[in-house]
Structure formats: structure tokens, C-alpha cells
Amino acid sequence: DLLAKQFEDRYPFDVAGLFAGLRTLSLTFQASLFELIDNSLGHGNAAKTDVRIEWYEHTPQKISKVAVVDNGIGMDRETLFGALQTGKSQTYNQRDTIGRFGFGLKAGGLNQCRIREVYSQKKNSDSYYAVLDLDEFLGGKKMLTAPIKKEIPKEFHDVIKNQGTVV
């Protein structure tokens, strides 16, 4: 039947609606930040994790940028791509670790901001950069593209010597 054929390749959810819903989760700023810190410690095995906050110059009570920087094991290109996909987790449904459902990085970030940038580098490897941009996605563009080789900004080299992640 032709009508049934139109529906057979559809997902059981609307992707744009799903991301709009993620933005309305009642995560506080602190809880969203903890998701990132939790990833640094639990997945990244970081010995050091810094949280850096920048404020708007003319509106000091509004945050313009937040970065969570760690010296953990870092991610290669494929792992970084998976880290930005909702529902992807290297510890999917394991009950003895964090990150059971591959939701923290995305939900925590999209709840507080519209653009998420990630730099990551494994030891003795290239560093990679990827962006999760909600506005581009809702505007009809792909939200996630393959990570590209890109140097980690110098402002984070005090924590990341030869491996680590910046979100």
C-alpha cells in the first residue's frame, strides 16, 4: 500500500522536537556543568578538570562562555563524533559507571546553550574539533559534521599538555 510505504522509514520521534525538549529539561546550570565534569572524571580519567566562565562585558550577570577543560585521556576522531551523537555511549547501559545512555554531554549542553564546541586529543595524536549547533540544525542544516583536525586553543594549554578535552 502506497500510504504505508510513506511511513515505513520514519523514526518514532521528531528530531527537531526532541532537541527542543532537551532544551526545556529542568537541569540547573550547576547540574548541566556537573554532566561535563562527570564525563571528565568518569570517561576521561582526568587528574585535573578546570571550569572557566566568561561574562558579558556590559552585562556582568550573564555568562557568555563556559569551558570545561581536562587533562584526561582525550578522544580520537571516531570517539569524539560518537560523543556528540545523542544515545551513543561507550558505556551504554552499564550500571557500574557513568554515561549509561549517551545523553549527558548533549542534554547538559543544549539545556544551557545553543552551540557546543569540543576539542580533544589523545596522547601522541592529532587534536580534533567538532561542533554541535542547534540553530543550524533547526535551520535545516546538518547539526553534526565529522570532527576536523584543529589545534586546541593556547588558552587551555596550561591544563592540556599532550592529551585532554575542552567542552
Side-chain angles (χ1 to χ4, degrees), residues 30 33 41 45 47 50 52 56 61 64 80 84-85 98 102 111 117 136 138 143 160 166:
Q30 294 87 345
L33 198 55
L41 301 173
N45 299 317
D50 278 8
R52 300 180 183 185
Y56 283 106
Q61 65 274 22
S64 66
L80 176 54
L84 293 173
Q85 290 180 290
I98 64 164
N111 182 264
E117 296 178 283
E136 282 191 5
L138 295 176
M143 188 172 166
I160 299 175
V166 178

Side-chain angles (χ1 to χ4, degrees), residues 52 151-160:
R52 300 180 183 185
E151 291 297 317
I152 294 172
K154 291 190 185 325
E155 68 186 285
F156 304 117
H157 286 189
D158 60 317
V159 174
I160 299 175

Side-chain angles (χ1 to χ4, degrees), residues 21-88:
L22 285 175
R23 287 196 47 80
T24 64
L25 289 174
S26 57
L27 291 176
T28 63
F29 173 74
Q30 294 87 345
S32 295
L33 198 55
F34 181 73
E35 290 286 350
L36 302 178
I37 295 167
D38 202 34
N39 284 345
S40 290
L41 301 173
H43 290 296
N45 299 317
K48 181 174 184 169
T49 302
D50 278 8
V51 175
R52 300 180 183 185
I53 300 174
E54 291 181 20
W55 307 91
Y56 283 106
E57 186 177 328
H58 300 294
T59 317
Q61 65 274 22
K62 286 185 78 177
I63 296 172
S64 66
K65 182 178 170 183
V66 175
V68 175
V69 187
D70 72 56
N71 67 350
I73 61 172
M75 293 179 276
D76 60 23
R77 189 175 189 213
E78 184 176 337
T79 304
L80 176 54
F81 188 77
L84 293 173
Q85 290 180 290
T86 300
K88 283 280 200 179

Side-chain angles (χ1 to χ4, degrees), residues 7-15 18:
F7 295 102
E8 84 183 18
D9 290 333
R10 292 193 186 177
Y11 293 102
F13 52 84
D14 173 72
V15 178
L18 172 66

Side-chain angles (χ1 to χ4, degrees), residues 42-43 88-95 97-102:
H43 290 296
K88 283 280 200 179
S89 175
Q90 294 198 330
T91 55
Y92 188 77
N93 207 21
Q94 292 179 11
R95 304 218 180 247
T97 184
I98 64 164
R100 286 182 30 202
F101 302 111

Side-chain angles (χ1 to χ4, degrees), residues 129-141:
Y129 169 79
V131 178
L132 188 64
D133 188 323
L134 183 63
D135 292 325
E136 282 191 5
F137 173 70
L138 295 176
K141 295 181 183 176

